[in-house]
């Protein structure tokens, strides 16, 4: 799912033995800071066999060029992730996030940091 060298060098990736795969996680917080977006994500262990327990991570997207965030029903103050995909494209890194309700958000940015909370 991830082809990013930046993610492979993070502490979380080293702990997991490779880049994490996000299936059915939850976003509990989105912070906008300068030209960065920080997503606080709980990755659910029952859908991610490399995790022994639910894991809280922060995904910091730096030098954001543009974004669209979509949200349908927010249950208990959280968005539930169905699919999260990050790809390198000609104009930068592109994140596509789909919720279980089918809402799609897109973010175009330059660099990424991923760390365990």
């Amino acid at each position: 799912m991830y082809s990013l060298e930046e993610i492979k060098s993070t502490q979380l990736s080293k702990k997991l033995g490779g880049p994490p795969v996000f299936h059915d996680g939850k976003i509990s917080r989105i912070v906008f800071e300068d030209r960065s977006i920080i997503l606080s994500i709980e990755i659910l262990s029952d859908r991610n066999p490399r995790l022994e327990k639910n894991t809280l991570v922060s995904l910091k997207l730096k030098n954001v060029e543009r974004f669209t965030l979509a949200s349908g029903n927010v249950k208990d103050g959280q968005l539930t992730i169905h699919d999260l995909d990050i790809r390198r494209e000609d104009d930068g890194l592109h994140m596509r996030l789909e919720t279980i309700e089918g809402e799609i958000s897109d973010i175009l940015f330059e660099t990424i940091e991923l760390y365990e909370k």
Side-chain angles (χ1 to χ4, degrees):
M1 177 187 244
Y2 296 94
S3 61
L4 304 176
E5 292 303 315
E6 293 93 338
I7 289 195
K8 290 180 183 178
S9 66
T10 64
Q11 289 300 316
L12 179 61
S13 293
K14 289 175 184 175
K15 176 183 171 184
L16 296 174
V21 176
F22 295 89
H23 291 290
D24 293 340
K26 296 180 181 180
I27 297 177
S28 58
R29 190 167 116 169
I30 300 174
V31 176
F32 298 91
E33 180 179 280
D34 294 325
R35 290 189 54 216
S36 298
I37 296 176
I38 303 167
L39 304 170
S40 296
I41 301 173
E42 180 180 16
I43 306 171
L44 304 178
S45 61
D46 61 342
R47 293 294 307 263
N48 295 280
R50 293 158 95 183
L51 298 176
E52 295 175 10
K53 61 180 181 158
N54 292 356
T55 302
L56 298 174
V57 298
S58 286
L59 187 63
K60 185 172 186 176
L61 314 177
K62 295 181 176 182
N63 298 322
V64 174
E65 295 295 324
R66 67 177 183 268
F67 65 90
T68 59
L69 295 177
S71 168
N73 296 327
V74 177
K75 182 179 179 186
D76 300 326
Q78 297 182 333
L79 294 174
T80 303
I81 300 168
H82 172 68
D83 185 49
L84 187 151
D85 188 33
I86 300 173
R87 300 177 189 270
R88 181 170 298 282
E89 296 181 355
D90 292 337
D91 52 355
L93 299 174
H94 182 254
M95 183 181 90
R96 180 183 177 277
L97 180 130
E98 182 180 354
T99 67
I100 59 171
E101 292 86 13
E103 301 285 343
I104 296 176
S105 299
D106 290 293
I107 304 173
L108 178 66
F109 56 100
E110 284 184 15
T111 59
I112 188 170
E113 286 180 17
L114 175 69
Y115 47 94
E116 190 172 3
K117 291 183 100 176

